[in-house]
Amino acid sequence: MMSKFCKKCGTELNDDAKFCTSCGERMEQEVVVRSNITGNSFPGISKRSIPLAIILSIVTCAIYTLYWEVKLTDEMNKLLGKTNATSGVMALIYTIITCGIYGIYWLYKMGQNVDEVKGKTGDTGILYLILGFIGLGIIPLALIQDTINDKLDGVY
Ligand SMILES: [Zn+2]
């Protein structure tokens, strides 16, 4: 379903409207067209296949993992409306300059974000931190992705 909106006052108009019914603004090329087909209320974020991401992480010797972490950070921030939170790229830089220590903290913080998306208070941050500490950080990544995929599906 498509509608167009007056660029001056935002009134929703019929597709064939020549003038805004509210303010009289002439409708030409500069109308905003919005599409509700996908139902995705988080533009710029798409679901990601967890098995594929894990396979890519293995075959690229973890280079894809770094990209995945950057994307997960930015997507989580966007889902939670945390516009001032540490960006994915900055988190990656901090991880590199602290020789991985920030990465453990990152897992803890992402665990807290997962709880926040699910609307509960829990110990997911601690769980992720422990998994990262014993070298199983790929498991939290899969769980974070699962949470984002579910959020996009409207589960939470
Ligand atoms: Zn108008």
Side-chain angles (χ1 to χ4, degrees):
M1 203 179 99
M2 312 258 267
S3 307
K4 67 179 179 181
F5 295 83
C6 173
K7 70 181 167 82
K8 197 173 171 191
C9 72
T11 302
E12 189 170 359
L13 302 164
N14 292 332
D15 275 334
D16 58 352
K18 297 276 190 293
F19 295 92
C20 175
T21 53
S22 179
C23 72
E25 179 81 356
R26 190 187 171 95
M27 295 292 110
E28 294 178 74
Q29 304 297 330
E30 297 166 279
V31 291
V32 178
V33 177
R34 289 183 199 175
S35 169
N36 298 323
I37 295 167
T38 61
N40 182 353
S41 48
F42 298 100
I45 308 178
S46 310
K47 286 169 67 176
R48 194 175 285 114
S49 161
I50 295 167
L52 182 64
I54 291 173
I55 290 166
L56 285 171
S57 292
I58 294 167
V59 299
T60 61
C61 300
I63 291 168
Y64 180 84
T65 315
L66 301 176
Y67 166 80
W68 194 14
E69 287 176 2
V70 168
K71 297 299 282 182
L72 285 175
T73 308
D74 290 340
E75 288 165 4
M76 188 60 93
N77 287 342
K78 206 179 257 187
L79 285 180
L80 291 170
K82 295 183 174 179
T83 47
N84 293 322
T86 307
S87 73
V89 170
M90 285 313 296
L92 178 61
I93 291 170
Y94 292 153
T95 302
I96 292 167
I97 61 181
T98 61
C99 299
I101 293 167
Y102 183 88
I104 303 286
Y105 168 72
W106 178 85
L107 285 172
Y108 174 70
K109 243 180 27 170
M110 289 299 276
Q112 289 186 320
N113 285 341
V114 161
D115 283 340
E116 201 174 324
V117 168
K118 292 180 177 178
K120 59 169 193 167
T121 49
D123 298 324
T124 306
I126 304 286
L127 173 71
Y128 287 8
L129 187 145
I130 292 168
L131 286 169
F133 202 73
I134 60 174
L136 296 174
I138 195 85
I139 295 172
L141 287 186
L143 295 172
I144 295 162
Q145 186 65 63
D146 187 52
T147 303
I148 291 175
N149 288 351
D150 281 352
K151 176 74 175 173
L152 293 175
D153 277 343
V155 174
Y156 306 118

